Amino acid sequence: MQLDHDTLLCVDEAVDLVNTDDRGQQTDTLTTPEQLADYLDRQRISGVRAGTGSELQAVRQLRNRLRSIFEAATAGHHDTVMAELNRLIADSRAAPRLVEHDGNPVHFHFTPSGAPLHRRLGAEMGVALAIVVCDCGLERLRVCASPDCNNVLVDLSRNRSRRYCDTLCANRQHVAAYRARQRT
């Protein structure tokens, strides 16, 4: 599946944001403003940052909204996914505009650079996931198929076969299936 560079970046940012709350391991790596700053730095997200607890809470709420979209997609709830993506984009007050900065080529921003962080992220991630749904199909948004993992993923494989968030989960499930076959 071929998506443009900016869309791929935003999709990766959305997946990484949702997966900061590892429900399988019951660990949350987004509990302090410093951890939020680390996430933003790793993702190279530019723009204004408040660095406050309220900003952190708003981003955590965005994370929950994104997770619910992936869960609805995994369950095949097409109408829910569309409604939630539309609501996320509307709530972020997305207004596409062309920008060029930091040596990057011309690309879209969907909110002013001074907009609150959760609105900027919500607009960019919401639009990117909407593009995936439009161009690739709803079934590309998934929750990992491993029973002990709740990470999300976007399957951009050619044959729509990716079921696990990473090779560790895939290998663990393949070994478990092999051992189960050997017992019988």
Side-chain angles (χ1 to χ4, degrees):
M1 181 79 274
Q2 187 70 22
L3 296 173
D4 70 89
H5 177 72
D6 288 334
T7 300
L8 285 173
L9 284 177
C10 290
V11 165
D12 287 344
E13 291 166 4
V15 167
D16 288 345
L17 178 61
V18 174
N19 290 340
T20 61
D21 184 9
D22 187 339
R23 295 181 176 184
Q25 300 297 318
Q26 297 182 342
T27 58
D28 186 345
T29 59
L30 196 60
T31 60
T32 67
E34 293 77 24
Q35 288 173 324
L36 175 57
D38 289 343
Y39 163 79
L40 298 171
D41 290 342
R42 272 193 322 274
Q43 297 299 328
R44 299 177 59 203
I45 295 172
S46 61
V48 176
R49 301 178 189 183
T52 62
S54 60
E55 180 179 68
L56 172 66
Q57 287 308 98
V59 172
R60 288 170 56 95
Q61 288 173 348
L62 170 62
R63 178 179 70 181
N64 291 339
R65 290 180 78 176
L66 292 168
R67 177 173 289 283
S68 70
I69 291 167
F70 279 91
E71 289 171 349
T74 301
H77 300 300
H78 183 269
D79 292 343
T80 302
V81 172
M82 288 182 43
E84 289 302 314
L85 281 171
N86 284 333
R87 194 172 302 120
L88 177 60
I89 293 167
D91 290 348
S92 68
R93 301 182 203 140
R97 60 193 176 85
L98 290 172
V99 296
E100 189 174 29
H101 61 87
D102 299 328
N104 295 317
V106 175
H107 58 281
F108 279 109
H109 277 199
F110 296 95
T111 59
S113 60
L117 178 63
H118 70 281
R119 280 192 25 223
R120 289 194 330 266
L121 294 178
E124 292 179 6
M125 293 174 183
V127 168
L129 293 176
I131 289 170
V132 170
V133 168
C134 288
D135 291 355
C136 310
L138 172 79
E139 67 280 357
R140 298 293 188 143
L141 307 181
R142 299 185 181 162
V143 175
C144 182
S146 177
D148 58 343
C149 180
N150 286 50
N151 283 344
V152 301
L153 61 116
V154 176
D155 177 12
L156 297 177
S157 66
R158 203 172 256 184
N159 62 359
R160 302 172 189 242
S161 62
R162 185 168 172 210
R163 297 177 43 216
Y164 301 103
C165 64
D166 61 20
T167 55
L168 184 63
C169 277
N171 289 342
R172 193 170 34 241
Q173 291 310 301
H174 294 311
V175 168
Y178 172 79
R179 288 180 180 160
R181 286 190 307 272
Q182 295 304 307
R183 280 192 295 268
T184 61

